[in-house]
Amino acid sequence: MTDRYCVMGNPVEHSKSPWIHARFAELTGQDLRYDRLQVLPGDFPRAVHAFRAEGGHGCNVTVPFKFEAAALATRRSARAQLAQACNTLRFDGHEIFGDNTDGVGLVGDITGNAGVAIAGRELLLIGAGGAAAGVLGPLIEARPRRIVVANRSHQGAMDLVQRHSELGREHGVALATCALDAVPGAFDLVVNATATSLGGGGVPVSDGVLRPRTLACDLMYGPLARGFLDWAQRHGAVPRDGLGMLVEQAAESFRVWRGVRPPSAAVLAELRALMDSQS
Ligand code: NDP
């Protein structure tokens, strides 16, 4: 029997995850099927239990359900525990194992695919939602000099940083928070982990955060990321969309589910070529 997985979220119709996992399965000889499942607000726990009852083996979780996914998991990896957000659930008998592969995906894309060092650099993380929560721990472990977290709700940024303060001390990383309209200075790396690109909300910070050659990443990809990427380019920064992170976090989820690491760089190159040919 073919093993079943899916991505649950809202919206989810733009997701490239089914294509990526189908390609990973082909390249590693794994027998699985991966679908998209649009879930209504308030219906997430029911949707997970129903998918599991229908024989599902696990799922990815995207906006806005990552915190609910962490609450639903009966066992969590250390990185998911720190994030209090899960993007990967695996159904292990009676247990629901929750993990978070977003951070490994982002760091792998920046340092591996883009070839940009994080160690010793100054980093601005915009957002404090499920995606930001998932990436902050692995970003700290990459040992930048300083990370400032800016969020629309300043309290959200403070809570997130508070949870990571011990990890920051352990790795010698200075952590600070600020409001979106009061970001102090400019940075080597800027990561937009808000849902502004997804929702058409525009760039959430001023161009003063950019230096010449700052790597400016938006976790969004496809046409919706265009506004942020064009803004970065106009101000002399190096734009990077979230496609590489998407493929890298998917590869790590695939490993969590199947115990096999698929060839992520090759699949990213294929996906980028496919999307370029469609635009
Ligand atoms: P959440 O809903 O959990 O969090 C949303 C975040 O965006 C919060 O920080 C929120 O601020 C902020 N926000 C929302 N609207 C606005 C606005 N109008 N102005 C300023 N800030 C705003 O979403 P996620 O964190 O799960 O996802 C965020 C984005 O990251 C999505 O676009 C998602 O597609 C993308 N993503 C991409 C991945 C990839 O692999 N490439 C992986 C994971 C996510 P507040 O706290 O104040 O509400």
Side-chain angles (χ1 to χ4, degrees):
M1 263 245 302
T2 301
D3 292 348
R4 289 186 59 202
Y5 298 87
C6 70
V7 54
M8 294 192 190
N10 191 340
V12 85
E13 67 275 7
H14 69 284
S15 175
K16 299 287 180 220
S17 293
W19 187 93
I20 295 168
H21 283 283
R23 202 64 196 108
F24 285 168
E26 270 177 65
L27 293 171
T28 57
Q30 299 277 310
D31 184 17
L32 63 86
R33 180 181 140 191
Y34 186 110
D35 299 302
R36 285 183 192 88
L37 217 74
Q38 172 105 357
V39 175
L40 294 173
D43 197 36
F44 179 73
R46 192 208 58 80
V48 171
H49 290 304
F51 183 63
R52 186 178 173 204
E54 286 161 17
H57 283 66
C59 62
N60 281 133
V61 181
T62 188
V63 61
F65 299 118
K66 291 181 183 181
F67 294 118
E68 279 189 68
L72 198 65
T74 55
R75 195 164 63 84
R76 283 171 285 276
S77 66
R79 57 194 178 189
Q81 186 66 31
L82 188 61
Q84 292 180 10
C86 290
N87 75 334
T88 304
L89 297 178
R90 188 183 67 207
F91 307 143
D92 292 345
H94 292 301
E95 296 260 41
I96 299 180
F97 172 68
D99 202 351
N100 195 313
T101 66
D102 280 340
V104 169
L106 178 66
V107 170
D109 184 55
I110 292 174
T111 58
N113 298 330
V116 172
I118 296 176
R121 316 294 289 278
E122 293 193 300
L123 201 154
L124 174 66
L125 175 63
I126 315 167
V135 301
L136 183 55
L139 285 172
I140 291 171
E141 285 164 357
R143 295 180 184 271
R145 186 149 61 83
R146 179 166 83 113
I147 301 180
V148 175
V149 179
N151 193 48
R152 180 174 61 180
S153 138
H154 191 204
Q155 188 60 46
M158 289 196 290
D159 292 346
L160 184 61
V161 162
Q162 172 60 33
R163 248 188 0 260
H164 288 75
S165 56
E166 200 182 315
L167 191 70
R169 269 195 300 279
E170 224 175 86
H171 289 84
V173 181
L175 297 177
T177 64
C178 64
L180 290 177
D181 59 359
V183 179
F187 297 81
D188 305 307
L189 277 115
V190 171
V191 175
N192 182 20
T194 70
T196 48
S197 293
L198 186 64
V203 177
V205 291
S206 81
D207 35 295
V209 305
L210 299 175
R211 294 182 175 139
R213 309 297 299 161
T214 290
L215 184 73
C217 306
D218 194 314
L219 300 197
M220 197 62 218
Y221 51 86
L224 290 174
R226 214 53 268 164
F228 181 92
L229 301 179
D230 288 347
W231 165 80
Q233 189 141 32
R234 269 200 314 279
H235 294 93
V238 178
R240 187 159 189 89
D241 68 6
L243 200 65
M245 171 183 172
L246 178 77
V247 173
E248 296 298 337
Q249 61 80 30
E252 180 67 2
S253 295
F254 194 90
R255 191 190 63 74
V256 169
W257 291 326
R258 313 296 300 182
V260 180
R261 189 82 174 43
S264 48
V267 171
L268 173 59
E270 279 181 34
L271 181 58
R272 189 144 332 256
L274 179 70
M275 289 179 70
D276 286 350
S277 74
Q278 289 169 346
S279 65

